[in-house]
Amino acid sequence: AFVSGFTVGTKSFLGARSERAVCKNARSVVKMQAEMSRSVPFLLKPKNTEGLIGSAEFDPLGFSDYIDIRFLQEAELKHGRICMLAAVGFIVQELYTFGGSYFPKMLPVDAHEYFLRTGGMTQILLFIAAFEAVSFYAIRQTLEGKREPGDFGFDPLGLGKNEAAFKRYRLSEIKNGRLAMIAVGGFIHQQWVTRMGVIEQLRNFHPLSDPMATNTGT
């Protein structure tokens, strides 16, 4: 009887303990699912990106924990806009250039050194300095809560009149800007490796394993 009672008691104790463990594990799983990032499921969801337009909960290095999220938004929009223009520029200059000794037809990755020698980079530096001086005041207003990140009041087509449509346009800008940042990085590395322009590479594609794909003499 003692053994039987001990066995029953042990089973009851282990059963209750097992149920508590299952409940605890279930709560842990639910909690983990709620706190994990959608884009990087094995990392915690960044707490400062919630509710932002275009947020994919992607911040693996935790920048938003230490830097004002409004400044990070401004930086992303700025770099995205620059890269959208750059992506178009990479392709257009391959199709058309002004010509002459000052605008020779060359790969964009080679143009940097060329215009350093001819003085064009100095002009670009002055223009960039002017734009940055303007954006410094804009960023200050953003950090003070007086301005939305990336908003320069530039809307010549009146796209912001419809609030719902404007929200979609803002999301599209962020997504296309992110894609452009990746694309420009791809353009640059592709030209370093193949010594061909973007369109030329598409028309005369060679795998990297093909020795005809690269020009080791340059």
Side-chain angles (χ1 to χ4, degrees):
F2 172 76
V3 174
S4 176
F6 176 77
T7 303
V8 172
T10 301
K11 288 182 177 179
S12 300
F13 173 74
L14 292 177
R17 187 176 182 182
S18 176
E19 289 178 3
R20 287 196 297 271
V22 170
C23 292
K24 184 177 181 180
N25 289 337
R27 287 195 299 269
S28 297
V29 170
V30 172
K31 184 178 179 181
M32 287 179 64
Q33 289 177 343
E35 293 181 348
M36 290 297 153
S37 166
R38 287 185 289 111
S39 57
V40 191
F42 53 86
L43 293 179
L44 291 175
K45 179 177 69 175
K47 59 182 181 294
N48 294 321
T49 62
E50 189 171 353
L52 300 179
I53 294 180
S55 173
E57 300 176 359
F58 182 81
D59 186 15
L61 299 180
F63 287 130
S64 61
D65 292 333
Y66 305 99
I67 303 174
D68 194 309
I69 191 64
R70 293 168 295 186
F71 179 84
L72 296 177
Q73 284 182 283
E74 182 83 25
E76 180 181 38
L77 285 167
K78 178 187 290 186
H79 287 86
R81 290 165 179 171
I82 291 171
C83 285
M84 283 189 281
L85 292 172
V88 174
F90 265 81
I91 296 172
V92 169
Q93 63 83 39
E94 192 173 342
L95 299 173
Y96 174 79
T97 60
F98 291 110
S101 59
Y102 203 72
F103 295 102
K105 195 173 183 64
M106 62 175 62
L107 289 174
V109 292
D110 296 330
H112 179 270
E113 294 298 323
Y114 177 82
F115 286 109
L116 273 178
R117 294 194 302 269
T118 58
M121 291 299 292
T122 303
Q123 298 176 30
I124 294 174
L125 179 62
L126 291 174
F127 277 114
I128 292 176
F131 283 124
E132 287 297 322
V134 173
S135 66
F136 175 79
Y137 177 72
I139 292 173
R140 181 178 176 180
Q141 285 189 313
T142 297
L143 296 178
E144 292 175 352
K146 300 177 181 178
R147 167 183 173 272
E148 286 290 320
D151 183 10
F152 286 93
F154 181 78
D155 185 17
L157 300 180
L159 300 177
K161 293 179 179 179
N162 186 311
E163 187 175 347
F166 189 57
K167 188 174 181 179
R168 293 198 303 272
Y169 293 142
R170 291 178 65 188
L171 178 61
S172 296
E173 180 185 36
I174 291 173
K175 287 185 174 181
N176 284 282
R178 290 168 178 169
L179 179 61
M181 286 188 276
I182 296 173
V184 169
F187 289 171
I188 293 172
H189 286 81
Q190 166 256 321
Q191 292 187 11
W192 280 340
V193 172
T194 66
R195 305 301 304 167
M196 290 191 290
V198 177
I199 298 175
E200 183 184 5
Q201 167 76 356
L202 291 174
R203 294 175 61 186
N204 305 281
F205 179 77
H206 297 283
L208 294 180
S209 58
D210 187 344
M212 292 296 293
T214 58
N215 183 354
T216 56
T218 57

